[in-house]
Amino acid sequence: MSAVTVFQGVGNHYGAKAAGGRHYGRSISTGHARQLPAPNARLKLTRRGQFVLIGLPLVMLAALLLSVAGFLLAPAKASDSAQDLSITPTVSVVVQPGSSLWSIAATVAPDRDPRDVVAEIAQLNNLADGTVVAGQQLFVPAERN
């Protein structure tokens, strides 16, 4: 038989410490003593713990490897040879007050779809949002024969 000290309650009612650091509680006797796990006991993970500890880093590593592979294997050039590349003939135009890319596209290439011409103007001049200001110089594609 062994004696086990049980502390009940919350606060200073039961199991309170005295000024000297002693515990005041009641002792009970049981038929067997409860053993605490050994300090070097193995850690057992649940399925969720195994996924977090092993699976999640593996998924992140796979995503990183696929991203790097996609970056390295992506075609970095628009053409296989320099002979396939062609220079787009352009004309320099100064934007007038009240002008827009649509009006410039309609003036420069009236026989073409203005959406295509606006896209080419934006690409030639690196225009992200498609806005222009008066006095700005733009390169526009010259009329094709």
Side-chain angles (χ1 to χ4, degrees):
M1 290 261 226
S2 64
V4 176
T5 303
V6 176
F7 298 104
Q8 296 177 346
V10 178
N12 291 331
H13 298 293
Y14 293 102
K17 282 187 177 181
R22 294 178 44 191
H23 289 280
Y24 292 100
R26 61 187 178 103
S27 298
I28 59 171
S29 294
T30 59
H32 50 70
R34 183 175 177 185
Q35 293 183 351
L36 296 175
N40 60 355
R42 289 188 53 128
L43 177 67
K44 292 192 178 204
L45 292 175
T46 62
R47 290 184 66 94
R48 184 185 304 171
Q50 290 173 350
F51 174 74
V52 170
L53 189 65
I54 298 167
L56 195 59
L58 286 177
V59 169
M60 301 276 288
L61 180 65
L64 178 69
L65 289 175
L66 286 174
S67 299
V68 169
F71 178 73
L72 294 176
L73 298 176
K77 53 188 174 183
S79 179
D80 289 332
S81 66
Q83 289 82 18
D84 294 341
L85 299 176
S86 63
I87 297 174
T88 304
T90 59
V91 177
S92 178
V93 174
V94 176
V95 178
Q96 300 300 318
S99 294
S100 66
L101 284 179
W102 287 92
S103 63
I104 294 170
T107 304
V108 171
D111 56 333
R112 292 183 55 203
D113 186 5
R115 293 175 291 193
D116 295 334
V117 179
V118 167
E120 287 181 18
I121 294 172
Q123 183 181 13
L124 285 171
N125 296 285
N126 294 327
L127 300 175
D129 56 359
T131 58
V132 291
V133 293
Q136 182 178 0
Q137 183 177 0
L138 294 177
F139 295 104
V140 296
E143 192 171 325
R144 296 179 183 171
N145 292 333

